[in-house]
Amino acid sequence: MSEFSKRLTQLPSYPMAELPAIKRRLIQQGVDVIDVGAGDADLAPPRVAVEALARAAQEPAMSRYAFQLGLPAFREAAADYMRRRFGLTFDPFTELHPLLGSKEGIAHLAATLLDPGDVAIVPVPGYAVYHGGTVLVDAVPHLYDLTPRTDFLLELEELPRAVLERAKLVYLNYPNNPTAAVAPREYLERTVRVCREHGIVLAYDNPYCEITFDGYVAPSIFEVPGAKDVAVEFHSLSKSFCMTGWRLGWAAGRSDRIAALARVKNYVDTGAFLAVQAAGAEVLKQAERLVAGYVVQFKERRDAMLPALRANGFEAETPRATMYIWVPLPEGLPSAGFQKRALEEVGVVVLPGSAFGGGAGAEGFFRIALTVETPRLIEGAERLGKVLAAV
């Protein structure tokens, strides 16, 4: 008899689980590794965050339990950000909740909403927590392939009626990781309509809403009329403010859903470090100014990397958002095989499409993260071109 649960064996492989050890081994062997795998930029966090953290950490009260209330100033700053950025009003104490990064909140939303056997609609490719969070509560993931046919949009109306009738949750993420797709307003409106018709809760994962280019402005799902009836939206300081390791975000939504999420979290965590919440509050007060500098740098990297990729045999679309480029591979070339060769032969870490789930939607592409300086990105493209030429 196995000592481990069945749900453990049902978890897909996590895309980043083995890469740090492999990268460390290669570096020890003297390999010059260019890592454009994880969405973890080399840029420094905002100075205001570091200074606020340093001040707050010296206050003994900031080392006490945060509990689920957290720091009122962080809640208020997040609510004020939502008002300024999207024109939306949320009560900071009943319609908004601090998270240890949006990832844990997304996973715990599944525990809030799903019973064993319930269906959650999971995009593939997609962030692994959508699938994993569903499996960990013994619910059933129904995989939907995101492909160029639908511009990488998850079209609920294409699903069998039987699936829609059983589904209680759908995960949406636009601007999208890993495809960098963005969602038109008309698409969001009809998705909200379908969710309302079928009683499906919409988990709207929105950590890339500030990393946008060429005049594109990413919306909140709550800008769509009726969305508050069905949606919970997740935000994070990780990507937009280069604070991935700080683990701080928030969820916003209807008060009963936020209260239910808080009830689950009471049993699994006692809140983010209060000093980190103090730093997050200061960042959000200046969000527009702070994020602008990061976006300029990501755009410069994008605009340098795309010509370098094309010069080396890759035909990637120009992303209007995120820090990612979703790069197509020649037909029939497995993405995991390409990743392995890129790592072992030329020392470049990328993520294969297959790392983002099984099925047709995950194959035929690999992801590059714009997380290193421009000269390293260009060199990485040249090395990848050598792998492609040798296929």
Side-chain angles (χ1 to χ4, degrees), residues 42-372:
D42 61 346
L43 305 172
R47 187 67 197 167
V48 66
V50 176
E51 292 172 351
L53 175 64
R55 290 194 303 270
Q58 296 179 59
E59 300 178 25
M62 289 291 182
S63 288
R64 306 291 295 275
Y65 282 128
F67 294 112
Q68 295 309 317
L69 172 63
L71 190 71
F74 177 72
R75 287 177 173 266
E76 290 164 351
D80 192 52
Y81 164 82
M82 297 289 284
R83 179 191 60 77
R84 297 192 319 268
R85 174 66 172 79
F86 304 112
L88 301 168
T89 300
F90 287 89
D91 185 293
F93 298 99
T94 63
E95 297 179 314
L96 188 147
H97 197 84
L99 302 172
L100 292 160
S102 57
K103 180 179 183 178
E104 68 85 359
I106 293 166
H108 290 133
L109 183 69
T112 302
L113 299 174
L114 301 176
D115 289 315
D118 286 339
V119 169
I121 300 165
V122 174
V124 176
Y127 192 25
V129 72
Y130 310 149
H131 194 152
T134 301
V135 168
L136 286 172
V137 294
D138 295 325
V140 179
H142 180 89
L143 307 184
Y144 181 99
D145 288 328
L146 303 182
T147 67
R149 179 184 65 81
T150 64
D151 295 324
F152 303 106
L153 299 175
L154 193 162
E155 294 286 1
L156 286 175
E157 291 173 303
E158 291 187 353
L159 292 171
R161 186 168 188 85
V163 172
L164 291 175
E165 289 175 350
R166 288 185 60 202
K168 292 181 67 175
L169 180 62
V170 58
Y171 300 96
L172 239 59
N173 164 225
Y174 297 103
N176 185 259
N177 171 28
T179 71
V182 298
R185 174 67 178 248
E186 179 272 333
Y187 165 79
L188 295 176
E189 289 173 349
R190 55 190 162 84
T191 300
V192 166
R193 174 178 53 78
V194 174
C195 287
R196 294 182 71 185
E197 288 174 359
H198 293 275
I200 301 170
V201 174
L202 171 55
Y204 199 77
D205 186 18
N206 206 6
Y208 299 98
C209 65
E210 295 291 8
I211 306 175
T212 59
F213 315 114
D214 308 326
Y216 176 68
V217 179
S220 164
I221 192 63
F222 294 116
E223 294 179 52
V224 175
K228 206 166 186 179
D229 293 339
V230 295
V232 178
E233 184 164 282
F234 294 89
H235 288 269
S236 172
L237 276 71
S238 291
K239 306 298 185 178
S240 297
F241 303 99
C242 298
M243 296 171 66
T244 53
W246 297 54
R247 308 315 306 138
L248 188 62
W250 72 91
R254 209 171 67 186
S255 60
D256 58 338
R257 294 195 182 103
I258 295 301
L261 179 59
R263 185 175 181 184
V264 169
K265 282 172 59 59
N266 270 321
Y267 288 90
V268 291
D269 71 72
T270 48
F273 182 25
L274 286 169
V276 169
Q277 294 191 49
E282 292 304 311
V283 168
L284 289 174
K285 289 175 186 177
Q286 306 177 47
E288 295 86 346
R289 178 183 68 82
L290 294 173
V291 78
Y294 292 123
V295 170
V296 167
Q297 293 180 81
F298 285 129
K299 184 178 186 299
E300 288 175 351
R301 293 177 178 189
R302 180 201 70 166
D303 291 347
M305 188 56 162
L306 285 167
L309 286 169
R310 290 165 184 158
N312 285 278
F314 300 99
E315 294 299 326
E317 297 291 330
T318 301
R320 299 171 66 196
T322 79
M323 60 178 70
Y324 305 121
I325 301 176
W326 191 232
V327 186
L329 286 165
E331 187 173 353
L333 178 59
S335 60
F338 180 82
Q339 180 224 21
K340 187 172 186 292
R341 292 189 61 174
L343 185 58
E344 294 178 350
E345 296 176 16
V346 298
V348 178
V349 180
V350 299
L351 286 187
S354 58
F356 297 94
E363 267 303 344
F365 294 83
F366 68 96
R367 192 191 77 179
I368 287 173
L370 302 171
T371 51
V372 299

Side-chain angles (χ1 to χ4, degrees), residues 20-33:
I22 296 171
K23 179 181 173 182
R24 181 171 177 270
R25 173 175 56 80
L26 289 172
I27 291 172
Q28 288 177 332
Q29 293 171 357
V31 177
D32 175 28
V33 175

